[in-house]
Amino acid sequence: MDRLRLMALDAEDLAVVSAQVQDSVTKFEALDYRPREKRFTLVVNRFAWDAAGRQSGGKDSYERRQSVLSFARVLKVRTSGIKRNDPDQVLSLLAIQFAETDAPAGTIELVFADGPLIQLDVECVEAQLEDLGAAWETRFKPRHPAN
């Protein structure tokens, strides 16, 4: 199987992970923060940009994969725009950004479409992305309005 597995240890690495999870979707129930372990994890359905546009039966083929995205050395988590009591709210991840505050510490931001945001205060960048299983086909390719 061609499962993706990445690790990020600095802002440059995190930009690569961000590109791979762009347009991933998740829900509040798939977010997990464990303060004692200093770990924040989310399970996402990742749009496989690396496989986008392959031909299948004469048509472009797209796929999603269930993946886990985890961050270590997390000191604090803040959220805004996430409706914790709305099981139907779908969070569509646009980007992951890192702002250094006191090297190597800083804040990792998970930016979602339409405004929701998760901020992780971290001792340093230490993130992992791993596909959990096989891909499934989707007919829909995410689109973004032109700036």
Side-chain angles (χ1 to χ4, degrees), residues 97-111:
Q97 303 165 342
F98 177 68
E100 196 171 73
T101 54
D102 185 17
T107 301
I108 294 174
E109 290 188 338
L110 287 80
V111 180

Side-chain angles (χ1 to χ4, degrees), residues 3-131:
R3 292 187 202 177
L4 184 65
R5 189 173 187 178
L6 299 174
M7 181 165 222
L9 297 174
D10 59 26
E12 195 173 301
D13 293 345
L14 197 58
V16 172
V17 171
S18 178
Q20 291 299 322
V21 295
Q22 180 181 2
D23 298 310
S24 292
V25 291
T26 192
K27 292 191 173 191
F28 176 74
E29 64 208 25
L31 311 178
D32 183 41
Y33 177 47
R34 299 185 181 218
R36 286 189 180 148
E37 298 172 25
K38 297 183 180 180
R39 180 165 300 281
F40 180 82
T41 304
L42 62 157
V43 176
V44 299
N45 291 332
R46 179 178 76 80
F47 183 83
W49 283 105
D50 50 315
R54 290 183 186 157
Q55 291 287 313
S56 174
K59 292 196 238 180
D60 285 344
S61 175
Y62 306 106
E63 62 186 43
R64 285 198 178 268
R65 291 176 172 270
Q66 189 172 58
S67 305
V68 65
L69 178 60
S70 65
F71 300 88
R73 301 177 182 244
V74 178
L75 303 172
K76 185 176 181 182
V77 176
R78 293 181 303 282
T79 65
S80 65
I82 295 177
K83 301 171 189 167
R84 297 170 189 245
N85 296 323
D86 181 357
D88 296 325
Q89 183 186 28
V90 175
L91 302 168
S92 180
L93 187 58
L94 296 178
I96 303 172
Q97 303 165 342
F98 177 68
E100 196 171 73
T101 54
D102 185 17
T107 301
I108 294 174
E109 290 188 338
L110 287 80
V111 180
F112 296 90
D114 299 322
L117 180 71
I118 298 173
Q119 294 176 308
L120 310 174
D121 291 340
V122 296
E123 296 171 349
C124 62
V125 174
E126 190 174 319
Q128 285 187 278
L129 171 66
E130 184 173 357
D131 288 344

